[in-house]
Amino acid sequence: MNQNNTPKFAIVGAGTAGLAAAILLAQQHIHVTIFEKAHALEPVGAGLLLQPSGLAVFEHLGVLEDALKLGALVTGLEGQLANGFKLVDSHYVQAHPDFYGLGIHRATLCHVLEKKCHEYAELITWHMNTDIERLNESSHEIRVIGTQHQEYFEDVFDHVIIANGARSRLRPRQWVKVDQAYPWGAKWTIVPECLTLDTQILHQFYDRAKIMMGILPTGAIPNQPQQRLSSIFWSLPTNQLESFLPDQHARSEWLKEISQRWKPAADWLEQVITNPEEKQQWLSANYRDVVLSKFGEGRIGIIGDAAHAMSPQLGQGANMALLDAWALGQAVRHARDNQTIDRVKLWQHYHQHRKSSTDFYQFLSRLLTPLYQSDLWWAGTLRDFSFSWMYRIPYFRKEMAITVTGLKSGMFSQMKYQDIAHSSLNRKK
């Protein structure tokens, strides 16, 4: 293969979607340049849950074993009301006997993908501390323009993949149908593993639509593999995020509020949450709703949260990003003829893989989010009533479990794990 004529891709953003896409393109001997605004890859974030859909992509990438060593096996999700009633009781085995989730720290997720990228050092070029401000597309090239180390920067590529998150300024405006902030967000923190509760379950706690807490097994980070962790999430309106637990009195009142509803959880939190005066360890998470009319056209593609940000209610953000990267790799392979990529065929194939699935999860997220995070007085009652009877019907119980896996491609269709994990690519041997 004449490497000088190999298609040149630029990827803007070194998050989950960007790193996975870089690997999948490099596996096809395509030159990739990653542009990242940060000075270094130092991911800050709580734990997230890799669903079977994301794990299938990890297997396809060849990084699943590394992730399993540091992540935490999760067998299901249980959600409890203040009266002790178990509202949500969803387990992966209900979808497939071999399915499971993996709780993982964002630092670990980034480490696993970055390590794999370095196996393709001759094909992947890194530009850190580079802020891409605009793209100029023409019939024969696309230019990326911005600043690198605070100096003017410009380069030319065949294709650009936008993967720089929900607040991306690079999305073509005419593609954007919805771009708005959610009125609710969350505070989160990382603590030593919760041994009081089942360590293989994502535990959630609800009271009406105004109180929601989650405790997620999170595994370990690469430089401290023996220290197992849990992530704690506490839902709040965005205008209250910065005033959360300002002092010892607020901490005591918060723990009292939890103890009145879920005492075992409160007793554990008492031991692991430090006093605000000692150390402020809670960080804020804000969410956006982003809907695009298309994910790619011509020389531009958009993946990850830049393409379809939504609330974290279904826990699909990282998994959808990984599926986007996988679909991009499949579409490039399908549309490529030696050194030429048929761009019409590329985006037709990509949309066939991703449009219906993304539409389904965005619709469901928009439908469910107010039932868990809102000021609507009736939302919690409606949720409690509808979920309590749905979990008693085997068909709905199974469909809900399949939905959680991230493999649904529509209301009545789904992707197969093996089709993703073992889809053929011209891999580096």
Side-chain angles (χ1 to χ4, degrees), residues 247-268:
D247 51 38
Q248 176 60 24
H249 175 73
R251 173 183 179 273
S252 298
E253 289 299 309
W254 177 68
L255 289 172
K256 181 180 177 182
E257 186 176 24
I258 298 172
S259 184
Q260 291 170 348
R261 296 167 172 84
W262 308 287
K263 192 172 188 309
D267 291 344
W268 171 70

Side-chain angles (χ1 to χ4, degrees), residues 23 113-122 124 126 428:
I23 297 165
L113 292 175
E114 182 187 8
K115 180 181 174 184
K116 190 68 177 180
C117 280
H118 291 321
E119 293 183 18
Y120 301 91
E122 75 280 8
I124 298 177
W126 298 76
K428 174 181 175 179

Side-chain angles (χ1 to χ4, degrees), residues 286-352:
N286 295 276
Y287 308 109
R288 298 191 73 80
D289 188 16
V290 174
V291 180
L292 304 185
S293 60
K294 65 185 75 172
F295 301 134
E297 185 177 75
R299 298 180 182 275
I300 296 175
I302 310 178
I303 62 175
D305 280 350
H308 44 61
M310 59 188 190
S311 88
Q313 195 55 58
L314 293 171
Q316 298 297 333
N319 302 282
M320 291 178 70
L322 289 168
L323 284 172
D324 289 351
W326 170 80
L328 178 66
Q330 295 296 301
V332 168
R333 180 171 65 91
H334 179 77
R336 187 178 181 187
D337 181 12
N338 292 322
Q339 308 310 323
T340 303
I341 294 177
D342 184 329
R343 292 187 293 278
V344 173
K345 188 183 292 186
L346 167 70
W347 298 120
Q348 283 179 343
H349 196 267
Y350 182 83
H351 284 103
Q352 286 171 7

Side-chain angles (χ1 to χ4, degrees), residues 194-251:
C194 178
L195 300 176
T196 302
L197 305 172
D198 190 329
T199 57
Q200 293 191 346
I201 295 291
L202 164 57
H203 297 275
Q204 292 185 343
F205 305 88
Y206 329 110
D207 187 2
R208 298 155 293 161
K210 293 188 176 183
I211 293 180
M212 178 177 173
M213 180 175 70
I215 301 174
L216 170 68
T218 306
I221 57 177
N223 59 350
Q224 293 180 301
Q226 303 307 316
Q227 174 64 68
R228 308 294 289 181
L229 305 167
S230 290
S231 297
I232 302 170
F233 300 85
W234 181 257
S235 176
L236 280 174
T238 54
N239 60 7
Q240 297 178 22
L241 290 175
E242 296 310 312
S243 59
F244 179 65
L245 301 190
D247 51 38
Q248 176 60 24
H249 175 73
R251 173 183 179 273

